[in-house]
Amino acid sequence: MSAKKLTIELLDAQGQPVSGTLVSASGCGELRTSVMGTVMFLVDEPQVVVKVDGQEVHNGMLDALPAQLRLTQQAGGWKA
């Protein structure tokens, strides 16, 4: 199985980038989003779990993983 690049973009309710937020993906270290609200991972785990500030926001198979996940902040959580 080959690795897949995953870009995660975090936006607030007004559509503005959210920087400095901790994001992790299966098999990868925890990173903070850039000033543009993005973070990138190279994922090679068959089951991919993405967490934002420790809260699970995505869980799926690597083969079905999109190249980019855009998450919007809503009511204390994140929604795709």
Side-chain angles (χ1 to χ4, degrees):
M1 180 177 295
S2 62
K4 195 170 191 179
K5 183 175 102 172
L6 171 63
T7 302
I8 299 170
E9 181 180 20
L10 301 183
L11 303 172
D12 65 17
Q14 289 75 39
Q16 298 301 310
V18 178
S19 64
T21 303
L22 291 172
V23 181
S24 64
S26 298
C28 302
E30 193 172 56
L31 300 173
R32 289 195 183 274
T33 52
S34 70
V35 294
M36 297 174 55
T38 59
V39 64
M40 289 184 216
F41 295 101
L42 189 60
V43 182
D44 64 355
E45 299 286 323
Q47 182 73 26
V48 180
V49 176
V50 175
K51 294 181 179 180
V52 176
D53 284 336
Q55 176 186 354
E56 186 175 309
V57 295
H58 178 83
N59 188 340
M61 299 301 293
L62 179 63
D63 294 340
L65 188 67
Q68 179 173 0
L69 284 177
R70 179 173 288 150
L71 303 169
T72 305
Q73 197 170 29
Q74 294 182 354
W78 297 91
K79 184 174 180 177

